[in-house]
Amino acid sequence: MYNIYLVLNKEQLIFTFIDIFGNPHTQLTHQQVKDYLNISESTYKRKVKDGTLRPVKLPGGDRFYLKDLLAAYLESRQKGRI
């Protein structure tokens, strides 16, 4: 049995992520981010507080760009949430 590893640099990974998940400039609400990453409200608040998730502050609530969620998405994949 062989293990096959795909090695991508950061730019290639971002483009692959964008190709799979859509427009990188798509804005998501905090509820959509929680659903997308499959995390709880307390985890969401903790990640915003420690800077892992960086919202764009807008009237009517925080927004996130899909391209800025790459690291959080990969962490959720690694932990088996997605």
Side-chain angles (χ1 to χ4, degrees), residues 47-81:
K47 289 184 174 290
V48 169
K49 186 176 180 179
D50 72 13
T52 305
L53 294 176
R54 294 187 184 101
V56 176
K57 302 288 185 180
L58 295 174
D62 297 343
R63 297 287 186 267
F64 295 84
Y65 286 109
L66 190 58
K67 65 180 179 168
D68 296 334
L69 298 176
L70 176 61
Y73 175 81
L74 293 175
E75 179 185 351
S76 288
R77 283 284 299 212
Q78 182 181 18
K79 291 187 176 185
R81 293 187 203 121

Side-chain angles (χ1 to χ4, degrees), residues 3-9 12-13 16-17 20:
N3 291 329
I4 299 172
Y5 296 96
L6 179 61
V7 179
L8 299 172
N9 65 32
Q12 290 171 321
L13 186 57
T16 301
F17 178 78
I20 294 171

Side-chain angles (χ1 to χ4, degrees), residues 12-69:
Q12 290 171 321
L13 186 57
I14 289 171
F15 287 126
T16 301
F17 178 78
I18 290 167
D19 288 343
I20 294 171
F21 298 106
N23 184 351
H25 301 292
T26 300
Q27 290 185 351
L28 303 175
T29 65
H30 89 274
Q31 183 61 49
Q32 290 171 321
V33 170
K34 289 182 345 186
D35 294 342
Y36 182 68
L37 299 176
N38 197 23
I39 58 177
S40 67
E41 181 71 24
S42 59
T43 301
Y44 168 82
K45 288 179 180 179
R46 186 177 64 249
K47 289 184 174 290
V48 169
K49 186 176 180 179
D50 72 13
T52 305
L53 294 176
R54 294 187 184 101
V56 176
K57 302 288 185 180
L58 295 174
D62 297 343
R63 297 287 186 267
F64 295 84
Y65 286 109
L66 190 58
K67 65 180 179 168
D68 296 334
L69 298 176

